[in-house]
Amino acid sequence: EPEVTQTPSHQVTQMGQEVILRCVPISNHLYFYWYRQILGQKVEFLVSFYNNEISEKSEIFDDQFSVERPDGSNFTLKIRSTKLEDSAMYFCASKLQFFSYEQYFGPGTRLTVT
Amino acid sequence: TQLLEQSPQFLSIQEGENLTVYCNSSSVFSSLQWYRQEPGEGPVLLVTVVTGGEVKKLKRLTFQFGDARKDSSLHITAAQPGDTGLYLCAGEKNQGGKLIFGQGTELSVKP
């Protein structure tokens, strides 16, 4: 069964460093999302992406964040200058098409900023 | 702010008991999804409900979407230790849009 994959599973970085989190969505899906979950808190929406453009972004998704689909399979989230409060699980999700309801999540990347 | 409130937040029961988890909002959602999340892993989709009043069954799990599409419930019959986990509801306000998550219900089923 097709699934969303994410790498790395765990990333440790120092404050101020840039990180890139990678995702491979399900192959024929067209809509892509990033969410994050700070330990003990709700899963929060960051950004949605369709047709090589950001469709919607949350207040969390400020100028330090960017997303890219560099090729036909990968979907990346870049944090330019990490802060301690960026420590969280980051989940990528994908959806087949606009009229689909189901979003399928990857296993997540645990980002630890020291 | 659109909120989804889940209750209870924690539930500890004995094997064989029945339970219901509730997901409530003052907002109308175009769809509502239920996920299960294991520690350190991503949410795994269980079911999606779309139509007001819709009921879906997945073995011992019964999901219902409220008539007004503002609330949902998950009922588990004869719970088993394998049902232990974090159950999340998530609503989509506009088709194609983001999911808004509840805070989750941590279920523990003791043998």
Side-chain angles (χ1 to χ4, degrees), chain A residues 31 33 35 37 41-45 48 56 89 91 95 98-108 110, chain B residues 3-5 30-31 33 35 37 40-43 45 48 50 86 88 92 95-99 101-103:
Chain A
Y31 284 79
Y33 306 83
Y35 294 82
Q37 187 177 32
Q41 296 186 21
K42 292 183 184 183
V43 177
E44 303 174 285
F45 168 78
S48 58
E56 186 179 2
M89 282 288 284
F91 296 109
K95 187 169 84 163
F98 180 79
F99 293 108
S100 305
Y101 294 102
E102 295 82 3
Q103 290 187 26
Y104 295 93
F105 283 74
R110 179 171 296 284
Chain B
L3 291 175
L4 271 175
E5 298 291 336
S30 64
S31 70
Q33 303 179 37
Y35 292 86
Q37 186 180 26
E41 299 181 12
L45 182 64
T48 301
V50 176
L86 179 67
L88 301 169
E92 183 184 43
Q95 197 162 11
K98 64 186 179 188
L99 288 177
F101 278 82
Q103 72 270 45

Side-chain angles (χ1 to χ4, degrees), chain B residues 13-15 80-81 109-111:
Chain B
I13 61 172
Q14 293 295 129
E15 183 175 0
Q80 298 177 1
V109 183
K110 295 181 173 19

Side-chain angles (χ1 to χ4, degrees), chain A residues 82-96:
Chain A
T82 51
K83 305 171 192 163
L84 294 176
E85 53 264 37
D86 293 328
S87 295
M89 282 288 284
Y90 287 81
F91 296 109
C92 173
S94 70
K95 187 169 84 163
L96 179 59

